[in-house]
């Protein structure tokens, strides 16, 4: 029971209290028992996901499996020449990191080695080559070269519909390909060769 000493009224907590001030009617309500609020914290939880965290055109691998859709892995994954125990930002062509790992873009993909090791690459906007490399690097960053079974370089990924639709198989190789020269380097060499003639 609440007692208002100014107005001289008494109300219970669950009843609204009417207050008159300067001709305006104001109503005070106890917020704990107000309609619209429940006493259970479970009922107060948000019952839906934010739509802002999902991007159209990015798929769940399980939905694609139900549809029987084909997945194409980006050919750029074979050109990274990346040592799996080094930071992905050290690759020769950093623009490769922005390329989507596959088409259609996926929110999450499991990367599996023939030995059975599995890591997951995730990105709600579509997994990129960088996301896959980050997941691999996280697993191998503390390993020395000799602990990588003599194959420290990422050779690429393989998708086998029959073996496991929802996973990409990781392939490694012993040595990286020779570092290719950029267009600027080729132009400079051509200019030097042209001046000597």
């Amino acid at each position: 029971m609440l007692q208002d000493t100014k107005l001289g009224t008494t109300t219970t907590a669950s009843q609204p209290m009417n207050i008159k001030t300067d001709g305006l009617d104001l109503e005070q309500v106890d917020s704990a028992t107000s309609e619209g609020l429940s006493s259970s914290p479970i009922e107060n939880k948000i019952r839906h996901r934010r739509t802002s965290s999902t991007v159209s055109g990015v798929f769940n691998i399980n939905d694609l499996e139900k549809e029987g859709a084909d997945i194409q892995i980006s050919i750029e994954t074979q050109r990274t020449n990346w040592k799996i125990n080094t930071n992905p930002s050290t690759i020769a062509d950093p623009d490769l990191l922005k390329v989507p790992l596959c088409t259609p873009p996926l929110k999450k993909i499991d990367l599996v080695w023939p030995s059975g090791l599995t890591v997951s690459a995730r990105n709600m906007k579509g997994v990129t080559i960088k996301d896959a490399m980050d997941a691999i690097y996280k697993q191998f960053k503390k390993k020395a070269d000799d602990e990588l079974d003599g194959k420290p370089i990422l050779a690429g990924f393989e998708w086998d519909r029959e073996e496991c639709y929802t996973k990409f198989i990781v392939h490694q190789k012993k040595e990286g390909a020779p570092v290719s020269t950029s267009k600027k380097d080729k132009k400079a060499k051509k200019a030097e060769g042209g001046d000597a003639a």
Side-chain angles (χ1 to χ4, degrees):
M1 232 160 139
L2 300 172
Q3 186 168 5
D4 189 347
T5 54
K6 291 181 183 176
L7 299 175
T9 59
T10 304
T11 60
T12 60
S14 61
Q15 295 175 343
M17 180 171 58
N18 291 326
I19 303 171
K20 291 189 177 189
T21 56
D22 297 331
L24 299 173
D25 286 338
L26 300 176
E27 189 173 290
Q28 183 176 4
V29 179
D30 186 359
S31 63
T33 59
S34 173
E35 289 184 28
L37 295 178
S38 68
S39 59
S40 171
I42 295 171
E43 292 176 9
N44 288 338
K45 285 188 176 179
I46 297 174
R47 297 174 198 255
H48 63 87
R49 261 191 194 260
R50 279 193 202 172
T51 57
S52 63
S53 63
T54 59
V55 177
S56 63
V58 180
F59 300 94
N60 184 328
I61 188 79
N62 296 324
D63 295 340
L64 291 177
E65 183 178 23
K66 290 174 188 172
E67 295 173 12
D70 282 336
I71 298 173
Q72 298 292 323
I73 298 176
S74 298
I75 194 75
E76 288 86 353
T77 61
Q78 297 174 11
R79 290 189 243 150
T80 60
N81 204 26
W82 174 64
K83 192 183 264 189
I84 63 174
N85 61 349
T86 60
N87 194 322
S89 62
T90 62
I91 68 169
D93 187 4
D95 291 335
L96 288 178
L97 298 176
K98 299 174 187 174
V99 175
L101 182 63
C102 62
T103 305
L106 301 172
K107 294 178 183 178
K108 173 188 172 270
I109 188 67
D110 291 331
L111 307 172
V112 181
W113 278 259
S115 65
L117 176 68
T118 303
V119 298
S120 295
R122 295 178 177 86
N123 186 338
M124 295 306 282
K125 295 179 182 177
V127 175
T128 62
I129 292 176
K130 181 182 185 329
D131 298 321
M133 292 171 88
D134 284 342
I136 294 169
Y137 174 63
K138 187 175 180 182
Q139 182 69 34
F140 291 104
K141 66 182 174 185
K142 293 184 180 177
K143 301 233 183 216
D145 290 350
D146 59 344
E147 295 178 287
L148 300 175
D149 297 328
K151 297 181 178 182
I153 306 296
L154 178 69
F157 302 98
E158 173 190 359
W159 176 66
D160 188 357
R161 174 190 291 267
E162 283 76 34
E163 188 176 321
C164 189
Y165 190 98
T166 61
K167 298 178 181 180
F168 289 172
I169 300 166
V170 179
H171 293 284
Q172 294 171 245
K173 57 187 176 181
K174 289 183 181 182
E175 295 179 10
V179 178
S180 63
T181 57
S182 68
K183 289 181 181 179
K184 288 181 182 178
D185 293 340
K186 288 180 184 177
K187 286 180 181 179
K189 284 182 181 179
K190 198 173 190 180
E192 287 175 10
D195 292 342

